[in-house]
Amino acid sequence: MACCGYASGWAKLSLGCLALASLFQVVAWSTPSWMIGASGGTTTRVGLWKTRICTSVCVESSVDISYKNDAFRTTQAMETIAFILLLLMPILARVYVMSDRFRTRTIASWCMTGCFVTAALLLMGMIAWLVYVTDPWAVSYSFGFSVIALVLVAISGILLIPDVDENNSYRICADCTTSGPSDRTKTRSVSPDMSTGRSFSRNDRTTPLNSRSEYDQMPRPMLTPVEKTGSANRNLRPATFNNISAVTLQRDRAGY
């Protein structure tokens, strides 16, 4: 089995981007530096949940109620929902990539839709934050991490489009997704196989016969020795396949 199962390269890249997006969003959501402001010798950093005030030492506390308005709470809500989705989406994407059983178009659609919904939530949270931040404040590095997460999760969704497209046959390994032994049994064709380049004989079931003269010019089938119990003598009989003479089989196919 290849690395990450038989998933397409696009799905594997999507999983990688999704994992990185999740990492960046965890950092963005948890760090206290969505905006920064300085006054005299005091630097104040405000995150979604914590405030850090630094003079000669830094003190961290919960965000004061004075900082919270509708735009702030909107950003909190959008970023938190996106944070939860980015914890769940890599798990679903990993199941899709690693498991042949669950590598279906439906699961790929769920993954792609989840990526785009998460990207939309992140975008709405960022717009609300940009409306919220005014002078003398400025956006800080936590906001930047969230921007990176947005870009990565959007790329992850785009990379899954070929797997959702039903016209792409490489999405699923047909032999790997069968549910039972009967499904894995393929009908064996007796049609001529001209790609092998091997020599043909009369008892070769894949030999194409177009005329009686071609049949007559082919080597006769190898005789199979049959031991007689308690005797050194041996009888010879034509080679058979499932108790059907290969010569008879070839004659029937040629119409003779």
Side-chain angles (χ1 to χ4, degrees):
M1 179 181 292
C3 176
C4 298
Y6 295 95
S8 68
W10 300 116
K12 296 173 185 177
L13 288 174
S14 176
L15 176 59
C17 290
L18 199 54
L20 288 175
S22 179
L23 177 63
F24 279 108
Q25 182 60 17
V26 168
V27 175
W29 186 81
S30 59
T31 51
S33 191
W34 275 73
M35 70 177 182
I36 185 172
S39 177
T42 302
T43 301
T44 303
R45 295 179 182 272
V46 178
L48 298 178
W49 315 103
K50 297 288 185 178
T51 301
R52 177 175 293 176
I53 300 174
C54 296
T55 52
S56 56
V57 293
C58 293
V59 178
E60 191 171 292
S61 61
S62 299
V63 176
D64 190 84
I65 191 66
S66 61
Y67 290 107
K68 296 181 179 180
N69 59 16
D70 291 340
F72 187 94
R73 292 186 177 90
T74 299
T75 302
Q76 276 186 320
M78 296 297 102
E79 294 292 325
T80 300
I81 297 173
F83 170 75
I84 295 172
L85 288 175
L86 279 173
L87 292 180
L88 299 176
M89 290 302 302
I91 298 175
L92 181 62
R94 183 177 176 84
V95 169
Y96 174 78
V97 170
M98 300 295 293
S99 173
D100 297 322
R101 179 180 178 183
F102 293 102
R103 190 175 305 117
T104 64
R105 186 167 176 260
T106 301
I107 301 297
S109 299
W110 289 354
C111 292
M112 185 188 71
T113 302
C115 288
F116 290 143
V117 169
T118 304
L121 291 170
L122 289 172
L123 181 59
M124 288 188 289
M126 291 174 190
I127 293 174
W129 191 257
L130 291 174
V131 171
Y132 171 76
V133 176
T134 56
D135 289 334
W137 298 92
V139 295
S140 189
Y141 66 84
S142 296
F143 181 87
F145 282 127
S146 190
V147 171
I148 297 173
L150 166 62
V151 173
L152 288 172
V153 76
I155 292 174
S156 181
I158 293 172
L159 289 173
L160 285 171
I161 292 177
D163 283 59
V164 175
D165 183 5
E166 60 185 0
N167 294 324
N168 284 286
S169 59
Y170 63 80
R171 183 181 67 254
I172 300 175
C173 172
D175 291 339
C176 303
T177 55
T178 52
S179 58
S182 60
D183 296 330
R184 288 192 293 268
T185 303
K186 292 184 177 181
T187 304
R188 299 182 62 183
S189 173
V190 295
S191 301
D193 184 5
M194 304 301 294
S195 62
T196 58
R198 58 189 176 87
S199 59
F200 299 127
S201 65
R202 288 186 183 184
N203 61 340
D204 191 340
R205 299 175 65 220
T206 63
T207 304
L209 298 176
N210 299 318
S211 66
R212 186 184 184 90
S213 61
E214 290 184 13
Y215 171 78
D216 292 336
Q217 293 173 2
M218 296 176 66
R220 298 185 62 82
M222 182 183 299
L223 297 180
T224 303
V226 180
E227 299 287 350
K228 279 188 177 181
T229 305
S231 174
N233 297 326
R234 296 187 302 175
N235 292 332
L236 298 178
R237 68 183 182 189
T240 60
F241 180 82
N242 290 340
N243 298 324
I244 300 175
S245 170
V247 178
T248 304
L249 179 62
Q250 290 297 327
R251 287 183 183 276
D252 293 342
R253 291 185 61 213
Y256 303 123

